[in-house]
Every structure is written in C-alpha cells, then in structure tokens.
Amino acid sequence: MKKSLRDIQSVLILGTENIIVLPVIRALGRLLPNAKLFTQSPIGTGRPVWSSSKYITDHYYFYSTKEPDKIRELISCIEQTKADIIIPADENYVRCLAKHKKRINKFSLVPPLPSPTQFDRLVNKDKLNEFLIENYLPHANNYRLDDSRLNSWDLETTPLLLKSIRGSSGTGIKKINSTTELHEIIKNLNPEKYFLQEEIDGEIIDCSFLAVDGDVKAYTIQKNLAKDGYNFSTAMEFINHTGLYEITRKVVELSGYSGLANLDYCLDKKDGQPKLIDFNARFWVSISASKAAGIDFTKLYCLATIGHSIDKHDYKNCSYLMGKSAIKHYKQKVMSPFSKNNENYVHTDFWDRISDPEPEIQRFMSKRFSK
C-alpha cells in the first residue's frame, strides 16, 4: 500500500470524452509531477487531443469492444505501464471498473467507485427519477415515449425536453417546439433509449462531491453564470445552499454511493425546491474550479485510492471562468485596468491552457477544418 502521493510513480487514466479527460490529466500532472501519466481509450474514437498533453508519457488503445477482451487489454496495459493507480475520468469506465474491481485490484489500485447497481440506479435518468420518487425527494416529471398522456399534451402550457437515458455534458437534450414534432418523436424513437421531461423554469445549480460508502466527504455547490443551451457552464460562482446539499446528502446516504459525482439541479421557481435532474458519476469539466474554491477533488480521490481516510472539507465562495468567459474577463481587465472588482475571488483556466498548449492547438485546428 502506498503511504503518500509521492509513492505513486505511474497512473493509468481511462477516458473517452476529450472535454472531461483533459482537465483531469492537467490536474493529475500538477498533483503528481514526478509520476508518469498514461492514458487508454477506444481505437474507434481515434487519437484523442489529450494524448498530446505535456503531462502524458504515452497513450494506449482498447482494440476490442467486448467487455471481457477490454478487461484483458486493460490488465495488459497496467502491466506495461506498471500503473500504481487507475483513474476513470468519465462514466464510460466507472461502471466497467466497478464491475471488475476485485480482479483489477490484483494488478493496480482502484479508487472508490459505485457498485454497478448504484451506478445504474442513479446515472440512468429514468431510474434516477424513480429513485427520487421512491424516497420522497423533489423531482422533475418524466414520461416514457409510449405514455398515452403525450397524445394530447399541451406544449404551450407545459414544455417538454427530449433526453437520452444516458447522456453527458448536455448532449442529447432537445426542446420540443411543436405538437407535430412531439408526435414524430413518439412514433420514431425507442422508448428504451429516450424519454420526455417537463421543462422546469428555474436556475441551474450544480453540486460536485466525493463520497465513500454513502458519506459525503467533500463537496462544492456552484451556480451557473454562462450557459450555452444545455451544455456545461463556462462561468460559475461557488455558493452555499443548505437545502440543495441536504438533498445531495440524502441521495448519497440512501444509495450508499461511493466515488466522485457531479449533480445538476434546477431550482424550480414554482415551489422553490432544487430538483435533481442529472447524476453524473464521474469527474467534471470544471475540476480546476473546485480546487480554486478550496477542494482539490483530484488529490482527495488519489488519497482515497491509496487507502487514506478522508476528513470533511469545506470550500470558499469565489468565481471561476473557463474558455470564452475567461477571455472576455481578461479583455475587460485590459479595457478597464482600474476596475474595483476584487480579483482575489475570480479565477480562470487561462494558465492551464497556455501552459499546456498542444491540445488546445489541435482542438482549434480540428474545429476550424471541420466547418
């Protein structure tokens, strides 16, 4: 067993989603400057932009799509990289590692993870709603595509959102704008893969946390300040919200959840209740924002992986800006150099990006030539 983070010499990071994996790599690179970082992803998704990060020693592929073969490839990669710990950056590998944890633990240390049952009950959006209803917690109203009530639905009175049972970072969400569109969806889409949810008029607030065996060890609550459609926010303010935290604590306790997660709530204007609409059992894009607020989830996750007990941690109120929001902030600073805004409470991902530029260049070029 590793006694401290200094004893970690090699880390294997598993991921698929560029937008999530890259911030995790950068966080680990700063946390473990003497460790070698390796990544592994499916060959079918091509070479990921994160593989060009200055923190990455080498990148490996999963060539198989069948789970038993993927596990054999994972173990082979662990042996080649001599990985001390494995970090699943996104949900594609959280459930897989959880399912095969005992076998993989013979070769490398695995972090706190939800059981496959916990994962399926909370991550699948339809099952999450069932869980909330069963436990008398605030929830949105969901409808299967084959629900007969949809045949006479009044979209003007109650708008609907089309969502996939499994989705991430706002993908797969579409607002239904007409009765014709609604009926086409009901007729043509698979009710086992999609559902409809009443749109809640309210403010989106997130809660990120690390839990071990149903006990929240650290958390942050952040209000979205700049959101493009249903995608993740590029600007956020860390706030306190006792009611929202209590719902999060109950969900974690009742489910017995272990691991990292990022929860999306909508603060309903009608009744003032925060309603949980998405449970993401993984790291999140703004992991560096949580660190700016005083909670280094990457460090706590690694400590829990090597067997350290995690004490309760508190966070501070501040703002964090990413991407376009960060650029806009610095433009305003140039235009108004004597502004009285308190810079101690504003943090950005600007230095993360310019200190590790190659993935940013690749991402920019990819977007430019894909148009």
Side-chain angles (χ1 to χ4, degrees), residues 114-115 117-119 121-122 131 135 209 211 213-214 248-258 279:
S115 70
T117 300
Q118 291 169 344
F119 183 95
R121 197 177 189 192
L122 298 171
F131 173 83
N135 291 286
F209 67 83
D213 297 328
T248 301
R249 186 189 62 77
K250 287 178 182 177
V251 169
V252 172
E253 182 180 359
L254 291 168
S255 65
Y257 185 85
S258 285
F279 191 111

Side-chain angles (χ1 to χ4, degrees), residues 2 29 70 93 203 238 271 347-348 357:
K2 304 296 179 183
K70 288 176 71 173
Y93 295 100
E203 185 178 31
F238 288 84
D271 56 20
H347 306 267
T348 77

Side-chain angles (χ1 to χ4, degrees), residues 43-62:
I43 186 71
T45 57
R47 189 164 184 83
V49 298
W50 72 68
S51 62
S52 62
S53 169
K54 70 177 184 180
Y55 298 109
I56 297 301
T57 300
D58 204 354
H59 178 71
Y60 294 81
Y61 290 105
F62 288 103

Side-chain angles (χ1 to χ4, degrees), residues 119-320:
F119 183 95
D120 293 339
R121 197 177 189 192
L122 298 171
V123 172
N124 291 345
K125 294 179 176 63
D126 57 339
K127 298 296 183 183
L128 171 63
N129 225 49
E130 291 175 8
F131 173 83
L132 297 174
I133 292 170
E134 289 171 7
N135 291 286
Y136 304 100
L137 295 170
H139 59 275
N141 292 320
N142 289 359
Y143 302 92
R144 283 179 58 91
L145 298 186
D146 52 11
D147 192 316
S148 60
R149 288 173 290 182
L150 296 173
N151 293 323
S152 57
W153 197 268
D154 184 356
L155 286 170
E156 290 188 8
T157 304
T158 311
L160 292 172
L161 299 176
L162 175 68
K163 294 187 175 184
S164 59
I165 299 297
R166 284 290 308 278
S168 179
S169 301
T171 57
I173 300 178
K174 181 181 181 181
K175 186 172 182 177
I176 310 306
N177 295 308
S178 71
T179 301
T180 301
E181 186 178 16
L182 175 59
H183 289 162
E184 285 295 313
I185 285 168
I186 294 171
K187 183 171 61 177
N188 296 317
L189 292 182
N190 186 344
E192 303 304 322
K193 294 183 178 181
Y194 296 89
F195 69 99
L196 289 161
Q197 184 177 86
E198 290 184 15
E199 184 179 44
I200 299 171
D201 182 16
E203 185 178 31
I204 299 297
I205 303 179
D206 297 342
C207 181
S208 308
F209 67 83
L210 170 64
V212 178
D213 297 328
D215 183 22
V216 175
K217 297 297 184 181
Y219 75 96
T220 61
I221 295 173
Q222 47 275 354
K223 178 171 64 173
N224 294 336
L225 301 178
K227 200 171 180 68
D228 183 12
Y230 301 108
N231 293 323
F232 63 90
S233 177
T234 58
M236 63 208 68
E237 179 185 1
F238 288 84
I239 62 171
N240 298 306
H241 196 297
T242 303
L244 189 146
Y245 170 69
E246 279 304 308
I247 294 172
T248 301
R249 186 189 62 77
K250 287 178 182 177
V251 169
V252 172
E253 182 180 359
L254 291 168
S255 65
Y257 185 85
S258 285
L260 289 169
N262 180 255
L263 278 55
D264 295 334
Y265 286 88
C266 188
L267 190 59
D268 197 333
K269 288 182 179 179
K270 291 181 180 179
D271 56 20
Q273 290 186 318
K275 295 179 179 177
L276 178 56
I277 55 177
D278 207 357
F279 191 111
N280 302 292
R282 53 157 172 76
F283 278 96
W284 45 98
V285 179
S286 57
I287 188 69
S288 56
S290 301
K291 183 179 178 182
I295 305 294
D296 191 343
F297 282 106
T298 309
K299 180 178 181 179
L300 297 178
Y301 200 44
C302 289
L303 287 172
T305 302
I306 63 176
H308 285 229
S309 60
I310 306 299
D311 297 327
K312 299 287 185 179
H313 285 68
D314 296 322
Y315 63 97
K316 61 186 178 183
N317 299 110
C318 67
S319 296
Y320 193 86

Side-chain angles (χ1 to χ4, degrees), residues 103-119:
R103 182 180 176 189
I104 296 169
N105 256 336
K106 296 177 182 178
F107 301 90
S108 184
L109 296 175
V110 178
L113 297 168
S115 70
T117 300
Q118 291 169 344
F119 183 95

